[in-house]
Amino acid sequence: MRTFTIALAGNPNTGKSTLFNALTGLKQHTGNWSGKTVSLASGYYEYKNTRFEIVDLPGTYSLFSNSADEEIARDFIVFEKPDITLLVLDSTALERSLNLALQVLEMTDRVIVCLNLIDEAKKKGIQIHAGKLSDKLGVPVIPISARNKEGLDVLSDHLLRMCMGQIQTTPYRMQYNEQLEMDINRLESEIIDIIGTDYPSRWLAIRFLDGDQKLVATLKDRISSQAKGGTVHYGAAAKAFGSSNSHHSC
Ligand SMILES: Nc1nc2c(ncn2[C@@H]2O[C@H](COP(=O)(O)OP(=O)(O)O)[C@@H](O)[C@H]2O)c(=O)[nH]1
Ligand SMILES: [Mg+2]
């Protein structure tokens, strides 16, 4: 049986671990993932004869290189390439969560959004138009209450269907000003020339223009370990990434 990997991402306190426990039934183990030896809680979940490995990423407010937690969550999404990144948002504080959502949507198109704590939102008289939000974000948006185990069947159905390739997404991508878009496009095609399309090239271009040196270093490491397998010409890539930072800011 093939196992699909689902990464739980979101701000701290949005109910990621509660959802993790509800899905996996607390049978958690800590797995070591490639790259840095980072231990992340993961557990298995079976639904309709399909096995999912759920990985509980550290809670973060953004996914830059501000902290070890941000790097861990970011590296997992970009380099481990989970089948789905499940974004857990707090329905009672959407404005805070959506910032992270926009960042994730720049990194991957395999995203499902959970509006968690929907019970709390209802109590507070907050009404969320999940369908409209889904149209805007270009990915499924599913109201749930992880603590009350509500909405988990609908969520599981979406996980299964997206893993089976039955749900296509059109993730919302931030548009920057004309000059930046030109720079992004130019750098993106250089990136594709060097490392192909294995990693999210537009997102990499944006991060590089922002001067994210730590990401440059991480990418060099990844390419270097791939190159040992003979797939990428590390020298050329390292040279290009070493010199492609400018001082623009997004
Ligand atoms: N009312 C309500 N509380 C929830 C729900 N899901 C999680 N919580 C609570 O929110 C708090 C944070 O949950 P936790 O899973 O630790 O969040 P994490 O930091 O994202 O892992 C805990 O007190 C949970 O019991 C929910 O659906 N409804
Ligand atoms: Mg947690």
Side-chain angles (χ1 to χ4, degrees):
M1 193 184 346
R2 191 184 152 187
T3 302
F4 295 100
T5 308
I6 313 289
L8 298 183
N11 295 167
N13 267 320
T14 55
K16 288 180 303 303
S17 298
T18 307
L19 179 59
F20 177 92
N21 291 339
L23 293 176
T24 63
L26 280 169
K27 281 183 270 179
Q28 102 176 32
H29 65 266
T30 38
N32 276 320
W33 302 89
S34 60
K36 292 177 200 149
T37 38
V38 171
S39 293
L40 292 169
S42 74
Y44 291 101
Y45 165 56
E46 267 185 46
Y47 181 75
K48 295 193 176 166
N49 295 320
T50 307
R51 206 156 105 108
F52 300 99
E53 181 170 19
I54 317 275
V55 181
D56 197 9
L57 299 179
T60 62
Y61 290 101
S62 63
L63 291 167
F64 302 130
S65 296
N66 296 326
S67 68
D69 277 356
E70 291 193 19
E71 284 180 48
I72 291 165
R74 177 202 70 193
D75 288 353
F76 194 88
I77 295 169
V78 171
F79 297 114
E80 301 298 331
K81 292 194 268 192
D83 292 289
I84 296 175
T85 298
L86 188 53
L87 247 173
V88 184
L89 307 188
D90 178 350
S91 301
T92 69
L94 262 196
E95 69 289 353
R96 197 164 54 209
S97 301
L98 283 171
N99 179 33
L100 183 72
L102 293 181
Q103 290 177 34
V104 171
L105 292 172
E106 279 189 328
M107 298 159 76
T108 165
D109 53 7
R110 303 181 63 84
V111 177
I112 292 179
V113 169
C114 280
L115 296 174
N116 192 30
L117 293 106
I118 202 73
D119 54 314
E120 269 309 303
K122 273 186 199 146
K123 268 192 218 153
K124 292 186 173 172
I126 300 169
Q127 215 193 344
I128 302 172
H129 298 281
K132 280 187 189 165
L133 189 57
S134 171
D135 288 346
K136 287 248 183 228
L137 298 179
V139 300
V141 174
I142 300 158
I144 64 163
S145 169
R147 197 161 76 181
N148 301 337
K149 297 193 164 73
E150 280 167 25
L152 301 190
D153 280 350
V154 178
L155 172 62
S156 301
D157 263 352
H158 280 77
L159 291 174
L160 182 60
R161 281 166 48 217
M162 192 177 278
C163 285
M164 296 298 169
Q166 293 164 3
I167 296 178
Q168 302 305 322
T169 61
T170 50
Y172 178 85
R173 297 270 146 92
M174 294 279 289
Q175 288 297 306
Y176 300 93
N177 69 39
E178 208 178 315
Q179 178 62 49
L180 257 179
E181 283 295 334
M182 274 169 50
D183 290 347
I184 292 168
N185 289 336
R186 210 181 48 231
L187 189 50
E188 184 182 2
S189 51
E190 280 185 42
I191 290 169
I192 292 172
D193 280 350
I194 297 165
I195 60 168
T197 51
D198 272 2
Y199 303 118
S201 46
R202 176 179 164 85
W203 175 80
L204 283 172
I206 294 168
R207 299 307 315 134
F208 291 170
L209 285 170
D210 200 28
D212 192 335
Q213 294 292 344
K214 279 195 178 159
L215 178 63
V216 174
T218 304
L219 186 66
K220 277 183 188 170
D221 279 356
R222 293 277 169 165
I223 290 174
S224 149
S225 51
Q226 261 185 36
K228 284 175 193 141
T231 45
V232 178
H233 189 352
Y234 169 59
K239 203 169 138 225
F241 290 121
S243 59
S244 61
N245 285 288
S246 69
H247 299 285
H248 295 276
S249 182
C250 299

